[in-house]
Amino acid sequence: MAFKKLHPAIQEKLTSLEIETPTAFQIKSIPVIKSGANVFCIAPKDSGKTTTLILTTLHKLKYQASGNAPRAVIVVENTKRVLELHEAFLLFTKRSSIRVYASHDELHIDMQKSEIFEGVDILISTPKMLNKLFLANGVHTSQIKLFSIDDAAFLSLESPYTAMMSITQSIQKCQYVIYTEHLHPKLKRFESYFMEYPKTVKV
């Protein structure tokens, strides 16, 4: 049922990829994320968290390009994960107008700034690089609708946590969704800063 209320073009893509049956996590989480609430999504490995992130992001953006500034930002742990998630998005965005950009620590910041200014819908980055881009005015934040964190356990470490706190101070109100296997106390602490009135989905 969770898939049937997604954008029709996303449903077509799911059919072409032979993804027909949502996982228990997807059944519970997709309607809550679609509601626009801030959400802590807690589920074990291989429960469908990353696919949920992709589907709900594309649904939020109505599966089409718009403007030049990012409307969805996704933070992941490292360059390897940036590239993996970028590839995963391309499976769903091929032959669509959606523009997905992989930003990471191994690319020069000036090159990233110029490429992002050309127009991006979904920006995937690490906390360190995203914070650098924000501080260098390399990303316009006014259009961000959805901010997601994939496999967020790494934010329990001091450096990524500090970068995340800095990043969120630059963003006007948007929806935050945090995906994790376990809700670390440091993640719970985000409630006091930017995760206002969060809902929790757990399987």
Side-chain angles (χ1 to χ4, degrees), residues 25 33 41 49 52-53 56 148-152 177-180:
F25 170 73
I33 297 166
C41 291
K49 294 193 295 296
T52 300
L53 185 159
T56 52
S148 303
I149 306 167
D150 194 28
D151 291 331
V177 182
I178 295 179
Y179 298 84
T180 185

Side-chain angles (χ1 to χ4, degrees), residues 1-201:
M1 192 67 188
F3 294 158
K4 290 185 178 177
K5 294 193 176 179
L6 292 170
H7 189 284
I10 300 173
Q11 293 184 47
E12 285 181 26
K13 183 60 72 171
L14 284 164
T15 300
S16 72
L17 293 171
E18 298 182 353
I19 302 173
E20 298 176 0
T21 306
T23 64
F25 170 73
Q26 289 165 344
I27 290 169
K28 286 184 72 172
S29 64
I30 289 175
V32 179
I33 297 166
K34 281 176 56 192
S35 76
N38 294 329
V39 191
F40 287 111
C41 291
I42 307 164
K45 187 176 173 61
D46 298 326
S47 57
K49 294 193 295 296
T50 298
T51 302
T52 300
L53 185 159
I54 293 170
L55 296 177
T56 52
T57 300
L58 295 175
H59 181 84
K60 184 87 169 182
L61 304 190
K62 299 180 178 167
Y63 204 69
Q64 62 185 13
S66 178
N68 290 320
R71 291 173 294 143
V73 172
I74 303 162
V75 168
V76 297
E77 181 176 6
N78 52 36
T79 296
K80 178 175 180 285
R81 189 63 190 136
V82 168
L83 298 175
E84 287 174 350
L85 188 56
H86 184 254
E87 283 296 312
F89 260 101
L90 293 183
L91 280 176
F92 287 87
T93 58
K94 193 183 293 183
R95 300 190 187 91
S96 78
S97 62
I98 290 275
R99 301 155 297 177
V100 187
Y101 187 79
S103 157
H104 56 80
D105 307 338
E106 294 174 18
L107 293 174
H108 194 282
I109 188 168
D110 288 339
M111 184 181 78
Q112 294 190 55
K113 284 172 63 176
S114 64
E115 291 179 342
I116 290 167
F117 276 132
E118 288 177 10
V120 170
D121 298 296
I122 300 167
L123 176 63
I124 307 169
S125 190
T126 64
K128 178 182 174 183
M129 180 49 70
L130 188 61
N131 194 35
K132 280 184 180 178
L133 285 167
F134 277 23
L135 292 173
N137 294 317
V139 178
H140 291 304
T141 61
S142 61
Q143 300 304 309
I144 297 173
K145 299 175 181 290
L146 177 62
F147 194 113
S148 303
I149 306 167
D150 194 28
D151 291 331
F154 67 92
L155 290 177
S156 62
L157 302 174
E158 195 60 38
S159 177
Y161 179 87
T162 302
M164 185 67 195
M165 293 302 296
S166 175
I167 288 163
T168 54
Q169 288 174 14
S170 305
I171 300 175
Q172 297 171 10
K173 186 171 177 61
C174 75
Q175 179 185 11
Y176 290 91
V177 182
I178 295 179
Y179 298 84
T180 185
E181 291 184 27
H182 306 285
L183 189 56
H184 189 279
K186 269 198 171 180
L187 300 182
K188 186 75 173 166
R189 209 183 293 171
F190 289 148
E191 281 188 47
S192 302
Y193 297 100
F194 56 87
M195 290 285 287
E196 295 180 355
Y197 310 111
K199 295 188 176 181
T200 300
V201 175

